[in-house]
Amino acid sequence: MPEHFHLLISEPDDGNVAVVMQVLKQRVSRECRARGRSRLPDDALPPAFWHPRSYDFNVFTKKKLIEKLDYIHWNPVKRGLVASPEQWHWSDRYYSLGEEGPVKIED
């Protein structure tokens, strides 16, 4: 999505999801700001990159996992970005067709 992303992850063996998300958000925001940085006065804070709240959901059943995956893969279609999920560069081709791509997907 142009202004948001969906992420379905499992709990890490060592550590916790909060730390994983903190590192992910820091790295993404630093990289994006470095690419499009405007000149700000030294004492000015840059605008917030992330919304203050994310919408998380714990998945405990296979049924709910499939529901969430379907939502993720059909979201670009519903938004009018592609005609079918397989056309979305970031997820469905690699999930449904087994092709390798920019996002590592593990079963």
Side-chain angles (χ1 to χ4, degrees), residues 6-9 57 59 61-76 78 85 88 91-92 94-96 105-107:
H6 298 111
L7 179 64
L8 183 62
I9 62 173
F57 184 89
V59 176
T61 66
K62 181 88 169 179
K63 180 181 176 184
K64 193 53 79 171
L65 175 66
I66 292 168
E67 176 187 313
K68 295 300 177 186
L69 284 171
D70 284 346
Y71 176 84
I72 289 169
H73 294 305
W74 281 96
N75 197 242
K78 290 177 186 174
W88 188 241
S91 64
D92 195 79
Y94 314 105
Y95 173 70
S96 63
I105 297 176
E106 297 179 3
D107 292 331

PDB file of all heavy atoms in Angstrom, residues 6-9 57 59 61-76 78 85 88 91-92 94-96 105-107:
ATOM      1  N   HIS A   6       0.917  -4.280   5.719  1.00  0.00           N
ATOM      2  CA  HIS A   6       0.413  -5.356   6.571  1.00  0.00           C
ATOM      3  C   HIS A   6       1.569  -6.299   6.832  1.00  0.00           C
ATOM      4  O   HIS A   6       2.355  -6.583   5.931  1.00  0.00           O
ATOM      5  CB  HIS A   6      -0.703  -6.128   5.863  1.00  0.00           C
ATOM      6  CG  HIS A   6      -1.879  -5.281   5.554  1.00  0.00           C
ATOM      7  ND1 HIS A   6      -2.221  -4.930   4.271  1.00  0.00           N
ATOM      8  CD2 HIS A   6      -2.796  -4.706   6.360  1.00  0.00           C
ATOM      9  CE1 HIS A   6      -3.301  -4.182   4.301  1.00  0.00           C
ATOM     10  NE2 HIS A   6      -3.662  -4.021   5.563  1.00  0.00           N
ATOM     11  N   LEU A   7       1.655  -6.775   8.035  1.00  0.00           N
ATOM     12  CA  LEU A   7       2.745  -7.654   8.423  1.00  0.00           C
ATOM     13  C   LEU A   7       2.182  -8.776   9.272  1.00  0.00           C
ATOM     14  O   LEU A   7       1.518  -8.532  10.276  1.00  0.00           O
ATOM     15  CB  LEU A   7       3.790  -6.862   9.219  1.00  0.00           C
ATOM     16  CG  LEU A   7       4.999  -7.612   9.741  1.00  0.00           C
ATOM     17  CD1 LEU A   7       5.849  -8.140   8.592  1.00  0.00           C
ATOM     18  CD2 LEU A   7       5.817  -6.695  10.633  1.00  0.00           C
ATOM     19  N   LEU A   8       2.443  -9.991   8.852  1.00  0.00           N
ATOM     20  CA  LEU A   8       2.017 -11.158   9.613  1.00  0.00           C
ATOM     21  C   LEU A   8       3.286 -11.880  10.032  1.00  0.00           C
ATOM     22  O   LEU A   8       4.024 -12.385   9.188  1.00  0.00           O
ATOM     23  CB  LEU A   8       1.133 -12.057   8.749  1.00  0.00           C
ATOM     24  CG  LEU A   8       0.546 -13.284   9.413  1.00  0.00           C
ATOM     25  CD1 LEU A   8      -0.366 -12.904  10.567  1.00  0.00           C
ATOM     26  CD2 LEU A   8      -0.233 -14.107   8.388  1.00  0.00           C
ATOM     27  N   ILE A   9       3.567 -11.859  11.323  1.00  0.00           N
ATOM     28  CA  ILE A   9       4.802 -12.458  11.822  1.00  0.00           C
ATOM     29  C   ILE A   9       4.488 -13.415  12.967  1.00  0.00           C
ATOM     30  O   ILE A   9       3.458 -13.299  13.623  1.00  0.00           O
ATOM     31  CB  ILE A   9       5.813 -11.397  12.313  1.00  0.00           C
ATOM     32  CG1 ILE A   9       5.251 -10.593  13.484  1.00  0.00           C
ATOM     33  CG2 ILE A   9       6.230 -10.494  11.171  1.00  0.00           C
ATOM     34  CD1 ILE A   9       6.248  -9.655  14.136  1.00  0.00           C
ATOM     35  N   PHE A  57      -3.164  -7.652  15.901  1.00  0.00           N
ATOM     36  CA  PHE A  57      -4.181  -8.679  16.114  1.00  0.00           C
ATOM     37  C   PHE A  57      -3.457 -10.003  16.321  1.00  0.00           C
ATOM     38  O   PHE A  57      -2.628 -10.382  15.494  1.00  0.00           O
ATOM     39  CB  PHE A  57      -5.096  -8.759  14.885  1.00  0.00           C
ATOM     40  CG  PHE A  57      -6.226  -9.721  15.054  1.00  0.00           C
ATOM     41  CD1 PHE A  57      -7.428  -9.303  15.601  1.00  0.00           C
ATOM     42  CD2 PHE A  57      -6.092 -11.046  14.680  1.00  0.00           C
ATOM     43  CE1 PHE A  57      -8.480 -10.193  15.756  1.00  0.00           C
ATOM     44  CE2 PHE A  57      -7.132 -11.935  14.833  1.00  0.00           C
ATOM     45  CZ  PHE A  57      -8.331 -11.513  15.373  1.00  0.00           C
ATOM     46  N   VAL A  59      -3.215 -13.924  16.230  1.00  0.00           N
ATOM     47  CA  VAL A  59      -3.822 -15.010  15.464  1.00  0.00           C
ATOM     48  C   VAL A  59      -3.533 -16.319  16.190  1.00  0.00           C
ATOM     49  O   VAL A  59      -2.379 -16.689  16.358  1.00  0.00           O
ATOM     50  CB  VAL A  59      -3.263 -15.053  14.028  1.00  0.00           C
ATOM     51  CG1 VAL A  59      -3.808 -16.230  13.260  1.00  0.00           C
ATOM     52  CG2 VAL A  59      -3.548 -13.744  13.314  1.00  0.00           C
ATOM     53  N   THR A  61      -5.704 -19.312  15.534  1.00  0.00           N
ATOM     54  CA  THR A  61      -6.261 -20.473  14.836  1.00  0.00           C
ATOM     55  C   THR A  61      -5.895 -20.450  13.360  1.00  0.00           C
ATOM     56  O   THR A  61      -5.617 -19.387  12.791  1.00  0.00           O
ATOM     57  CB  THR A  61      -7.799 -20.512  14.951  1.00  0.00           C
ATOM     58  OG1 THR A  61      -8.342 -19.387  14.246  1.00  0.00           O
ATOM     59  CG2 THR A  61      -8.249 -20.491  16.417  1.00  0.00           C
ATOM     60  N   LYS A  62      -5.909 -21.608  12.755  1.00  0.00           N
ATOM     61  CA  LYS A  62      -5.639 -21.731  11.321  1.00  0.00           C
ATOM     62  C   LYS A  62      -6.691 -20.951  10.520  1.00  0.00           C
ATOM     63  O   LYS A  62      -6.373 -20.285   9.535  1.00  0.00           O
ATOM     64  CB  LYS A  62      -5.647 -23.210  10.929  1.00  0.00           C
ATOM     65  CG  LYS A  62      -5.371 -23.481   9.496  1.00  0.00           C
ATOM     66  CD  LYS A  62      -3.910 -23.609   9.250  1.00  0.00           C
ATOM     67  CE  LYS A  62      -3.668 -24.141   7.845  1.00  0.00           C
ATOM     68  NZ  LYS A  62      -2.271 -24.250   7.561  1.00  0.00           N
ATOM     69  N   LYS A  63      -7.940 -21.015  10.955  1.00  0.00           N
ATOM     70  CA  LYS A  63      -9.021 -20.297  10.277  1.00  0.00           C
ATOM     71  C   LYS A  63      -8.746 -18.794  10.264  1.00  0.00           C
ATOM     72  O   LYS A  63      -8.908 -18.124   9.239  1.00  0.00           O
ATOM     73  CB  LYS A  63     -10.349 -20.586  10.972  1.00  0.00           C
ATOM     74  CG  LYS A  63     -11.523 -19.883  10.343  1.00  0.00           C
ATOM     75  CD  LYS A  63     -12.812 -20.202  11.089  1.00  0.00           C
ATOM     76  CE  LYS A  63     -13.974 -19.413  10.499  1.00  0.00           C
ATOM     77  NZ  LYS A  63     -15.217 -19.602  11.225  1.00  0.00           N
ATOM     78  N   LYS A  64      -8.335 -18.237  11.388  1.00  0.00           N
ATOM     79  CA  LYS A  64      -8.057 -16.810  11.474  1.00  0.00           C
ATOM     80  C   LYS A  64      -6.809 -16.448  10.661  1.00  0.00           C
ATOM     81  O   LYS A  64      -6.756 -15.382  10.035  1.00  0.00           O
ATOM     82  CB  LYS A  64      -7.883 -16.390  12.934  1.00  0.00           C
ATOM     83  CG  LYS A  64      -7.903 -14.905  13.172  1.00  0.00           C
ATOM     84  CD  LYS A  64      -9.103 -14.193  12.613  1.00  0.00           C
ATOM     85  CE  LYS A  64     -10.337 -14.337  13.450  1.00  0.00           C
ATOM     86  NZ  LYS A  64     -11.439 -13.449  12.998  1.00  0.00           N
ATOM     87  N   LEU A  65      -5.827 -17.329  10.626  1.00  0.00           N
ATOM     88  CA  LEU A  65      -4.631 -17.114   9.813  1.00  0.00           C
ATOM     89  C   LEU A  65      -5.010 -16.984   8.340  1.00  0.00           C
ATOM     90  O   LEU A  65      -4.569 -16.057   7.652  1.00  0.00           O
ATOM     91  CB  LEU A  65      -3.631 -18.257  10.008  1.00  0.00           C
ATOM     92  CG  LEU A  65      -2.393 -18.232   9.126  1.00  0.00           C
ATOM     93  CD1 LEU A  65      -1.519 -17.041   9.450  1.00  0.00           C
ATOM     94  CD2 LEU A  65      -1.623 -19.530   9.283  1.00  0.00           C
ATOM     95  N   ILE A  66      -5.829 -17.890   7.866  1.00  0.00           N
ATOM     96  CA  ILE A  66      -6.268 -17.849   6.468  1.00  0.00           C
ATOM     97  C   ILE A  66      -7.077 -16.582   6.197  1.00  0.00           C
ATOM     98  O   ILE A  66      -6.901 -15.925   5.165  1.00  0.00           O
ATOM     99  CB  ILE A  66      -7.064 -19.122   6.122  1.00  0.00           C
ATOM    100  CG1 ILE A  66      -6.119 -20.329   6.135  1.00  0.00           C
ATOM    101  CG2 ILE A  66      -7.771 -18.986   4.778  1.00  0.00           C
ATOM    102  CD1 ILE A  66      -6.814 -21.675   6.104  1.00  0.00           C
ATOM    103  N   GLU A  67      -7.940 -16.214   7.133  1.00  0.00           N
ATOM    104  CA  GLU A  67      -8.728 -14.982   6.989  1.00  0.00           C
ATOM    105  C   GLU A  67      -7.810 -13.762   6.848  1.00  0.00           C
ATOM    106  O   GLU A  67      -8.020 -12.908   5.985  1.00  0.00           O
ATOM    107  CB  GLU A  67      -9.630 -14.821   8.199  1.00  0.00           C
ATOM    108  CG  GLU A  67     -10.432 -13.535   8.220  1.00  0.00           C
ATOM    109  CD  GLU A  67     -11.172 -13.365   9.537  1.00  0.00           C
ATOM    110  OE1 GLU A  67     -11.815 -14.334   9.999  1.00  0.00           O
ATOM    111  OE2 GLU A  67     -11.106 -12.243  10.101  1.00  0.00           O
ATOM    112  N   LYS A  68      -6.795 -13.672   7.690  1.00  0.00           N
ATOM    113  CA  LYS A  68      -5.880 -12.530   7.651  1.00  0.00           C
ATOM    114  C   LYS A  68      -5.040 -12.523   6.378  1.00  0.00           C
ATOM    115  O   LYS A  68      -4.808 -11.465   5.782  1.00  0.00           O
ATOM    116  CB  LYS A  68      -4.979 -12.503   8.888  1.00  0.00           C
ATOM    117  CG  LYS A  68      -5.738 -12.269  10.183  1.00  0.00           C
ATOM    118  CD  LYS A  68      -6.473 -10.952  10.154  1.00  0.00           C
ATOM    119  CE  LYS A  68      -7.289 -10.732  11.405  1.00  0.00           C
ATOM    120  NZ  LYS A  68      -8.112  -9.538  11.325  1.00  0.00           N
ATOM    121  N   LEU A  69      -4.571 -13.701   5.954  1.00  0.00           N
ATOM    122  CA  LEU A  69      -3.809 -13.783   4.708  1.00  0.00           C
ATOM    123  C   LEU A  69      -4.665 -13.360   3.518  1.00  0.00           C
ATOM    124  O   LEU A  69      -4.203 -12.634   2.636  1.00  0.00           O
ATOM    125  CB  LEU A  69      -3.259 -15.195   4.500  1.00  0.00           C
ATOM    126  CG  LEU A  69      -2.052 -15.559   5.349  1.00  0.00           C
ATOM    127  CD1 LEU A  69      -1.745 -17.049   5.224  1.00  0.00           C
ATOM    128  CD2 LEU A  69      -0.845 -14.726   4.967  1.00  0.00           C
ATOM    129  N   ASP A  70      -5.908 -13.816   3.478  1.00  0.00           N
ATOM    130  CA  ASP A  70      -6.815 -13.404   2.402  1.00  0.00           C
ATOM    131  C   ASP A  70      -7.003 -11.889   2.401  1.00  0.00           C
ATOM    132  O   ASP A  70      -6.965 -11.250   1.349  1.00  0.00           O
ATOM    133  CB  ASP A  70      -8.179 -14.092   2.538  1.00  0.00           C
ATOM    134  CG  ASP A  70      -8.151 -15.547   2.110  1.00  0.00           C
ATOM    135  OD1 ASP A  70      -7.170 -15.967   1.461  1.00  0.00           O
ATOM    136  OD2 ASP A  70      -9.113 -16.264   2.431  1.00  0.00           O
ATOM    137  N   TYR A  71      -7.196 -11.314   3.578  1.00  0.00           N
ATOM    138  CA  TYR A  71      -7.357  -9.865   3.673  1.00  0.00           C
ATOM    139  C   TYR A  71      -6.113  -9.146   3.136  1.00  0.00           C
ATOM    140  O   TYR A  71      -6.218  -8.200   2.344  1.00  0.00           O
ATOM    141  CB  TYR A  71      -7.617  -9.441   5.121  1.00  0.00           C
ATOM    142  CG  TYR A  71      -7.682  -7.948   5.277  1.00  0.00           C
ATOM    143  CD1 TYR A  71      -8.862  -7.263   5.016  1.00  0.00           C
ATOM    144  CD2 TYR A  71      -6.552  -7.216   5.645  1.00  0.00           C
ATOM    145  CE1 TYR A  71      -8.922  -5.877   5.131  1.00  0.00           C
ATOM    146  CE2 TYR A  71      -6.606  -5.834   5.756  1.00  0.00           C
ATOM    147  CZ  TYR A  71      -7.790  -5.184   5.502  1.00  0.00           C
ATOM    148  OH  TYR A  71      -7.833  -3.814   5.605  1.00  0.00           O
ATOM    149  N   ILE A  72      -4.954  -9.604   3.564  1.00  0.00           N
ATOM    150  CA  ILE A  72      -3.699  -8.975   3.128  1.00  0.00           C
ATOM    151  C   ILE A  72      -3.551  -9.053   1.613  1.00  0.00           C
ATOM    152  O   ILE A  72      -3.208  -8.069   0.954  1.00  0.00           O
ATOM    153  CB  ILE A  72      -2.492  -9.633   3.837  1.00  0.00           C
ATOM    154  CG1 ILE A  72      -2.486  -9.248   5.317  1.00  0.00           C
ATOM    155  CG2 ILE A  72      -1.183  -9.241   3.160  1.00  0.00           C
ATOM    156  CD1 ILE A  72      -1.496 -10.053   6.158  1.00  0.00           C
ATOM    157  N   HIS A  73      -3.817 -10.222   1.049  1.00  0.00           N
ATOM    158  CA  HIS A  73      -3.598 -10.408  -0.384  1.00  0.00           C
ATOM    159  C   HIS A  73      -4.651  -9.721  -1.252  1.00  0.00           C
ATOM    160  O   HIS A  73      -4.349  -9.312  -2.370  1.00  0.00           O
ATOM    161  CB  HIS A  73      -3.502 -11.889  -0.711  1.00  0.00           C
ATOM    162  CG  HIS A  73      -2.297 -12.524  -0.099  1.00  0.00           C
ATOM    163  ND1 HIS A  73      -1.019 -12.053  -0.298  1.00  0.00           N
ATOM    164  CD2 HIS A  73      -2.169 -13.572   0.727  1.00  0.00           C
ATOM    165  CE1 HIS A  73      -0.158 -12.793   0.382  1.00  0.00           C
ATOM    166  NE2 HIS A  73      -0.832 -13.715   1.025  1.00  0.00           N
ATOM    167  N   TRP A  74      -5.856  -9.555  -0.748  1.00  0.00           N
ATOM    168  CA  TRP A  74      -6.896  -8.888  -1.523  1.00  0.00           C
ATOM    169  C   TRP A  74      -6.933  -7.382  -1.293  1.00  0.00           C
ATOM    170  O   TRP A  74      -7.587  -6.654  -2.031  1.00  0.00           O
ATOM    171  CB  TRP A  74      -8.263  -9.514  -1.234  1.00  0.00           C
ATOM    172  CG  TRP A  74      -8.421 -10.790  -1.996  1.00  0.00           C
ATOM    173  CD1 TRP A  74      -8.180 -12.051  -1.550  1.00  0.00           C
ATOM    174  CD2 TRP A  74      -8.801 -10.935  -3.359  1.00  0.00           C
ATOM    175  NE1 TRP A  74      -8.390 -12.974  -2.548  1.00  0.00           N
ATOM    176  CE2 TRP A  74      -8.781 -12.309  -3.671  1.00  0.00           C
ATOM    177  CE3 TRP A  74      -9.162 -10.026  -4.353  1.00  0.00           C
ATOM    178  CZ2 TRP A  74      -9.092 -12.789  -4.935  1.00  0.00           C
ATOM    179  CZ3 TRP A  74      -9.481 -10.513  -5.614  1.00  0.00           C
ATOM    180  CH2 TRP A  74      -9.446 -11.875  -5.892  1.00  0.00           C
ATOM    181  N   ASN A  75      -6.218  -6.866  -0.310  1.00  0.00           N
ATOM    182  CA  ASN A  75      -6.246  -5.440  -0.015  1.00  0.00           C
ATOM    183  C   ASN A  75      -5.814  -4.567  -1.199  1.00  0.00           C
ATOM    184  O   ASN A  75      -6.487  -3.578  -1.502  1.00  0.00           O
ATOM    185  CB  ASN A  75      -5.410  -5.161   1.233  1.00  0.00           C
ATOM    186  CG  ASN A  75      -5.705  -3.813   1.835  1.00  0.00           C
ATOM    187  OD1 ASN A  75      -4.829  -2.965   1.915  1.00  0.00           O
ATOM    188  ND2 ASN A  75      -6.938  -3.596   2.266  1.00  0.00           N
ATOM    189  N   PRO A  76      -4.731  -4.898  -1.924  1.00  0.00           N
ATOM    190  CA  PRO A  76      -4.365  -4.059  -3.074  1.00  0.00           C
ATOM    191  C   PRO A  76      -5.416  -4.079  -4.183  1.00  0.00           C
ATOM    192  O   PRO A  76      -5.578  -3.095  -4.900  1.00  0.00           O
ATOM    193  CB  PRO A  76      -3.044  -4.660  -3.571  1.00  0.00           C
ATOM    194  CG  PRO A  76      -2.617  -5.635  -2.560  1.00  0.00           C
ATOM    195  CD  PRO A  76      -3.760  -5.941  -1.661  1.00  0.00           C
ATOM    196  N   LYS A  78      -8.762  -4.442  -3.624  1.00  0.00           N
ATOM    197  CA  LYS A  78      -9.850  -3.599  -3.119  1.00  0.00           C
ATOM    198  C   LYS A  78      -9.506  -2.122  -3.221  1.00  0.00           C
ATOM    199  O   LYS A  78     -10.374  -1.278  -3.421  1.00  0.00           O
ATOM    200  CB  LYS A  78     -10.167  -3.955  -1.668  1.00  0.00           C
ATOM    201  CG  LYS A  78     -10.818  -5.308  -1.528  1.00  0.00           C
ATOM    202  CD  LYS A  78     -11.044  -5.654  -0.066  1.00  0.00           C
ATOM    203  CE  LYS A  78     -11.562  -7.071   0.063  1.00  0.00           C
ATOM    204  NZ  LYS A  78     -11.654  -7.509   1.447  1.00  0.00           N
ATOM    205  N   PRO A  85      -4.711 -10.331  -7.031  1.00  0.00           N
ATOM    206  CA  PRO A  85      -3.663 -10.399  -6.007  1.00  0.00           C
ATOM    207  C   PRO A  85      -2.291 -10.796  -6.568  1.00  0.00           C
ATOM    208  O   PRO A  85      -1.268 -10.317  -6.083  1.00  0.00           O
ATOM    209  CB  PRO A  85      -4.168 -11.467  -5.033  1.00  0.00           C
ATOM    210  CG  PRO A  85      -5.631 -11.487  -5.206  1.00  0.00           C
ATOM    211  CD  PRO A  85      -5.870 -11.163  -6.663  1.00  0.00           C
ATOM    212  N   TRP A  88       0.243  -8.008  -7.382  1.00  0.00           N
ATOM    213  CA  TRP A  88       0.850  -7.174  -6.344  1.00  0.00           C
ATOM    214  C   TRP A  88       2.287  -7.614  -6.123  1.00  0.00           C
ATOM    215  O   TRP A  88       2.561  -8.748  -5.758  1.00  0.00           O
ATOM    216  CB  TRP A  88       0.037  -7.238  -5.058  1.00  0.00           C
ATOM    217  CG  TRP A  88       0.494  -6.263  -4.010  1.00  0.00           C
ATOM    218  CD1 TRP A  88       0.967  -6.572  -2.769  1.00  0.00           C
ATOM    219  CD2 TRP A  88       0.521  -4.848  -4.109  1.00  0.00           C
ATOM    220  NE1 TRP A  88       1.285  -5.422  -2.095  1.00  0.00           N
ATOM    221  CE2 TRP A  88       1.022  -4.343  -2.900  1.00  0.00           C
ATOM    222  CE3 TRP A  88       0.177  -3.943  -5.116  1.00  0.00           C
ATOM    223  CZ2 TRP A  88       1.187  -2.983  -2.658  1.00  0.00           C
ATOM    224  CZ3 TRP A  88       0.345  -2.583  -4.863  1.00  0.00           C
ATOM    225  CH2 TRP A  88       0.838  -2.126  -3.657  1.00  0.00           C
ATOM    226  N   SER A  91       3.611  -9.316  -2.319  1.00  0.00           N
ATOM    227  CA  SER A  91       3.237 -10.468  -1.511  1.00  0.00           C
ATOM    228  C   SER A  91       2.678 -11.643  -2.273  1.00  0.00           C
ATOM    229  O   SER A  91       3.244 -12.716  -2.243  1.00  0.00           O
ATOM    230  CB  SER A  91       2.253 -10.064  -0.410  1.00  0.00           C
ATOM    231  OG  SER A  91       1.047  -9.608  -0.966  1.00  0.00           O
ATOM    232  N   ASP A  92       1.558 -11.502  -2.912  1.00  0.00           N
ATOM    233  CA  ASP A  92       0.796 -12.667  -3.328  1.00  0.00           C
ATOM    234  C   ASP A  92       1.527 -13.578  -4.301  1.00  0.00           C
ATOM    235  O   ASP A  92       1.426 -14.794  -4.205  1.00  0.00           O
ATOM    236  CB  ASP A  92      -0.564 -12.272  -3.919  1.00  0.00           C
ATOM    237  CG  ASP A  92      -1.466 -13.478  -3.990  1.00  0.00           C
ATOM    238  OD1 ASP A  92      -2.040 -13.851  -2.953  1.00  0.00           O
ATOM    239  OD2 ASP A  92      -1.528 -14.078  -5.070  1.00  0.00           O
ATOM    240  N   TYR A  94       4.506 -14.431  -4.409  1.00  0.00           N
ATOM    241  CA  TYR A  94       5.460 -15.250  -3.678  1.00  0.00           C
ATOM    242  C   TYR A  94       4.739 -16.212  -2.732  1.00  0.00           C
ATOM    243  O   TYR A  94       5.193 -17.326  -2.508  1.00  0.00           O
ATOM    244  CB  TYR A  94       6.429 -14.342  -2.933  1.00  0.00           C
ATOM    245  CG  TYR A  94       6.896 -13.243  -3.860  1.00  0.00           C
ATOM    246  CD1 TYR A  94       6.413 -11.943  -3.741  1.00  0.00           C
ATOM    247  CD2 TYR A  94       7.728 -13.528  -4.926  1.00  0.00           C
ATOM    248  CE1 TYR A  94       6.793 -10.964  -4.637  1.00  0.00           C
ATOM    249  CE2 TYR A  94       8.101 -12.549  -5.827  1.00  0.00           C
ATOM    250  CZ  TYR A  94       7.645 -11.271  -5.678  1.00  0.00           C
ATOM    251  OH  TYR A  94       8.004 -10.310  -6.568  1.00  0.00           O
ATOM    252  N   TYR A  95       3.608 -15.787  -2.228  1.00  0.00           N
ATOM    253  CA  TYR A  95       2.815 -16.635  -1.330  1.00  0.00           C
ATOM    254  C   TYR A  95       2.090 -17.730  -2.107  1.00  0.00           C
ATOM    255  O   TYR A  95       2.172 -18.901  -1.776  1.00  0.00           O
ATOM    256  CB  TYR A  95       1.818 -15.765  -0.568  1.00  0.00           C
ATOM    257  CG  TYR A  95       0.833 -16.546   0.261  1.00  0.00           C
ATOM    258  CD1 TYR A  95       1.245 -17.221   1.399  1.00  0.00           C
ATOM    259  CD2 TYR A  95      -0.497 -16.618  -0.101  1.00  0.00           C
ATOM    260  CE1 TYR A  95       0.346 -17.951   2.155  1.00  0.00           C
ATOM    261  CE2 TYR A  95      -1.405 -17.326   0.647  1.00  0.00           C
ATOM    262  CZ  TYR A  95      -0.974 -18.000   1.779  1.00  0.00           C
ATOM    263  OH  TYR A  95      -1.858 -18.708   2.518  1.00  0.00           O
ATOM    264  N   SER A  96       1.392 -17.355  -3.167  1.00  0.00           N
ATOM    265  CA  SER A  96       0.565 -18.327  -3.876  1.00  0.00           C
ATOM    266  C   SER A  96       1.325 -19.117  -4.927  1.00  0.00           C
ATOM    267  O   SER A  96       0.991 -20.266  -5.193  1.00  0.00           O
ATOM    268  CB  SER A  96      -0.638 -17.642  -4.517  1.00  0.00           C
ATOM    269  OG  SER A  96      -0.222 -16.706  -5.482  1.00  0.00           O
ATOM    270  N   ILE A 105       9.172 -15.032   2.798  1.00  0.00           N
ATOM    271  CA  ILE A 105       7.978 -15.644   3.376  1.00  0.00           C
ATOM    272  C   ILE A 105       8.334 -17.062   3.787  1.00  0.00           C
ATOM    273  O   ILE A 105       8.841 -17.843   2.987  1.00  0.00           O
ATOM    274  CB  ILE A 105       6.822 -15.626   2.369  1.00  0.00           C
ATOM    275  CG1 ILE A 105       6.443 -14.193   2.026  1.00  0.00           C
ATOM    276  CG2 ILE A 105       5.622 -16.401   2.930  1.00  0.00           C
ATOM    277  CD1 ILE A 105       5.382 -14.060   0.973  1.00  0.00           C
ATOM    278  N   GLU A 106       8.062 -17.361   5.041  1.00  0.00           N
ATOM    279  CA  GLU A 106       8.327 -18.709   5.558  1.00  0.00           C
ATOM    280  C   GLU A 106       7.039 -19.338   6.016  1.00  0.00           C
ATOM    281  O   GLU A 106       6.146 -18.655   6.505  1.00  0.00           O
ATOM    282  CB  GLU A 106       9.300 -18.640   6.736  1.00  0.00           C
ATOM    283  CG  GLU A 106      10.657 -18.108   6.365  1.00  0.00           C
ATOM    284  CD  GLU A 106      11.597 -18.034   7.554  1.00  0.00           C
ATOM    285  OE1 GLU A 106      11.201 -18.462   8.661  1.00  0.00           O
ATOM    286  OE2 GLU A 106      12.714 -17.553   7.376  1.00  0.00           O
ATOM    287  N   ASP A 107       6.940 -20.635   5.874  1.00  0.00           N
ATOM    288  CA  ASP A 107       5.750 -21.354   6.355  1.00  0.00           C
ATOM    289  C   ASP A 107       5.894 -21.688   7.798  1.00  0.00           C
ATOM    290  O   ASP A 107       6.901 -21.901   8.349  1.00  0.00           O
ATOM    291  CB  ASP A 107       5.551 -22.638   5.550  1.00  0.00           C
ATOM    292  CG  ASP A 107       5.170 -22.327   4.110  1.00  0.00           C
ATOM    293  OD1 ASP A 107       4.555 -21.275   3.881  1.00  0.00           O
ATOM    294  OD2 ASP A 107       5.488 -23.145   3.236  1.00  0.00           O
TER     295      ASP A 107
END
